[in-house]
Amino acid sequence: MTEQRDKDRLEKRVRGLRGAVDVPENTAPAIIAATEGLLREIVARNKLVLEDIISAFFTVTPDLNAAFPAEAARRLGWVDIALMCATEITVPGSQPGIVRVLIHAYSDREPIHIYLGRAAQLRPDLT
């Protein structure tokens, strides 16, 4: 099984998958739930398996500080995946209440980037 997985991985290349979601309030349950929903959608739409995910880098707008979005990934079983969280830079006029993610994963297809809720306004070219 491991040999086949290694062979499949050689046929794939590392892709960067982007996504973002709005969070309705600065509470741990809201941040975790929104992030979980975003990660589930990215994984499903890109047909990823956990073994193909290398890392995930999360950012949150400065108003979201009640929880780390990486906690949502851990709850989904991302225990052997490198995770990092940071605060997004403060840009005048930018949307508050947004969690963003950049996932590096092995894949043999073009990435489908996912922007949910109000976050879809960040990338109207993708919706």
Side-chain angles (χ1 to χ4, degrees), residues 21-88:
V21 65
D22 64 301
V23 179
E25 60 186 3
N26 184 31
T27 64
I31 293 168
I32 301 304
T35 305
E36 265 189 33
L38 174 63
L39 296 177
R40 287 181 192 278
E41 188 72 14
I42 291 171
V43 167
R45 296 273 310 273
N46 286 281
K47 297 178 175 45
L48 298 175
V49 294
L50 282 183
E51 292 79 18
D52 287 338
I53 301 172
I54 301 165
S55 65
F57 182 68
F58 299 91
T59 63
V60 294
T61 50
D63 57 306
L64 297 178
N65 62 6
F68 293 107
E71 184 179 339
R74 295 281 183 238
R75 289 183 184 196
L76 293 175
W78 297 29
V79 295
D80 294 324
I81 297 168
L83 305 175
M84 175 71 76
C85 298
T87 304
E88 194 68 38

Side-chain angles (χ1 to χ4, degrees), residues 85-108:
C85 298
T87 304
E88 194 68 38
I89 60 171
T90 306
V91 175
S94 62
Q95 282 192 45
I98 302 290
V99 172
R100 292 173 174 85
V101 66
L102 169 62
I103 297 171
H104 294 99
Y106 292 102
S107 178
D108 58 0

